[in-house]
Amino acid sequence: MFLDPVQKRRTRIATAVAGAATILLSVAACSSGTPSASTTPVSGGTLTYASGDAEPTCLDPHVGGNYPQALLSTQYIETLTAMDADRKIVPALATKWSTSADGRTWTFTLRRGVTFTDGTAFDAASVVRNIEHVQDPATASSTGYLALGAIDKATATDDHTVTLALSRPDSALLESLSQPWVGIESPKALDRSQKVNCESPVGTGPFAVTNWKHGDRVTLERNTDHTPLDGSTTKPRLAGITWRFLPDSTSRYAALKSGQVDVIDNAQPDQLRAASGNGDIRDLDAPRPGASNRLELNSGHGVFQDESVRKAFIAGARIDPGLQSLFLGTAKRSYSVLSSVEPLGVSDESLFEYDPQHAAKLLDAAGWKKGSDGIRTKDGKRLTVAFPVSTNQSVPAERSLFEQIQASEKSVGFDVTIKQLDLSSWYAALAENQYDVVSAPYTKVGPDVLRILYDTASITPAPSGYFANLAQLSDTKLDADLEQAAAATDDAERKQLYTDAQKIILASGTVLPLYDQQNHFLYRSSVHGIRTTAVSTPSFGTAWIDR
């Protein structure tokens, strides 16, 4: 399946919804199913997870690098670093690290006594092999490739020490190394063909992939030799996980309510409203870090090369009423390009007010005149905006919101053409530059996500074929700010540089923030001990079920 020529090309394209770290944030006891003081965890049982997200084309998160891969790989692949509940970098497979005065050399000491589930020992050579695998163009990585872009060379100094030589200082390196897309896999497994490794990647995590029935499910079994990385002695309690793919939201929710499945993702607003902190169905709200959910306006071609047309589109977008009515209070409007969980985010509501009169004035001044059907034209061309939408990444409520935006834009003269596509076709449309506006979620811990999304260099495709700068924003001052921020070691300087960078992005008219990336998980009250990672994927290494 994976090496079919069409799918192989799409996999090279497919990637970047993505990005960031394996941090374990314990879920709050009152709403998460975390065991109370009087509840004793039990071992055994199989947890059934039902995903409405796209089924991965490859279970190895190095290949491509999107969110569906992160959801699954969190269960069987671990990372060098992690983050705690306070968003501080903590040890994982690496126990400690240090850097040179110029920030170009990093030394990592690795955990001893850890093995991959194929019996291979975890050591410095395996880390070097993984970094080389992510950076190899043949791997067709995007998210991982972009995250490790500063690494020139990885060297095994001894069996338990790795030295990284960087081409430039990278203040986000520790954050990047906590991402599942650069998680550590067995070098023996990586030596297999990509087709085989995509079917059954091998990590050091609490579970191991034992079977993948395409179009239906992935089966995971407990790693009885797992070494907990958080200093505890808690071995995985679940006997295994059955990871099902159920794209229909109604069927997925019905299966949860009936007890056929234990956890679901991509829950709808009405389902979230029905969940409660003490009922049979509960809601785990885990906003993703990195970028907010936003519309990117393609300034690289078409009508949005004109800044005034971009700003007219932003002024003509009526968002708030639809957000309130469609999401039933489960989503809050954002005016920032960064997620609300990012402390360095900058918001500016004044740039995103709904003002159709101002939009009309901007379009009049730019020479776009209304025709008899209300759509504007200039030099014989209609003011058409191509808007491809991924049905895998946008829940029905969001797609309805896009249709309401489409209607409000029509009132000022834009002809917004929405085309609903599956994930592979959507990636292909972006790679072929067949879009004027797009909603492209991207997950990465920390403000360095701005460099990946808006630096001029990010208009150049990664080996996978995907480029992250979908706004095709190119600004020399912005590039300089992002480069200096990536090298800054002083917190105050770093904050100021990222503040300046965000102001440039927000003022450019290439971005229309909407809300945090919606990331809710509904689960039955019989499930306890769920944790979430820094990229807000659920981790079941300490979970248990009280049947």
Side-chain angles (χ1 to χ4, degrees), residues 86-215:
D86 296 322
R87 307 192 68 78
K88 303 291 187 183
I89 293 291
V90 295
L93 287 174
T95 59
K96 62 182 180 179
W97 45 81
S98 61
T99 185
S100 60
D102 65 359
R104 293 176 181 267
T105 303
W106 285 77
T107 302
F108 291 83
T109 301
L110 306 181
R111 194 175 297 273
R112 297 170 182 263
V114 176
T115 58
F116 296 95
T117 54
D118 63 1
T120 304
F122 165 72
D123 58 13
S126 64
V127 173
V128 172
R129 177 73 176 90
N130 274 260
I131 291 173
E132 291 174 348
H133 185 249
V134 171
Q135 293 186 325
D136 184 351
T139 301
S141 172
S142 177
T143 306
Y145 179 87
L146 293 170
L148 302 185
I151 298 177
D152 265 349
K153 186 175 179 58
T155 304
T157 310
D158 59 40
D159 286 349
H160 300 287
T161 309
V162 172
T163 300
L164 302 182
L166 275 56
S167 60
R168 57 172 173 80
D170 184 3
S171 63
L173 181 65
L174 296 178
E175 296 170 348
S176 295
L177 290 174
S178 65
Q179 297 184 143
W181 300 280
V182 296
I184 306 301
E185 304 178 39
S186 163
K188 180 180 177 181
L190 291 178
D191 286 341
R192 303 174 297 176
S193 70
Q194 187 175 88
K195 179 180 181 179
V196 173
N197 200 61
C198 277
E199 293 286 322
S200 56
V202 177
T204 61
F207 300 94
V209 177
T210 57
N211 185 56
W212 181 9
K213 184 179 180 181
H214 292 268

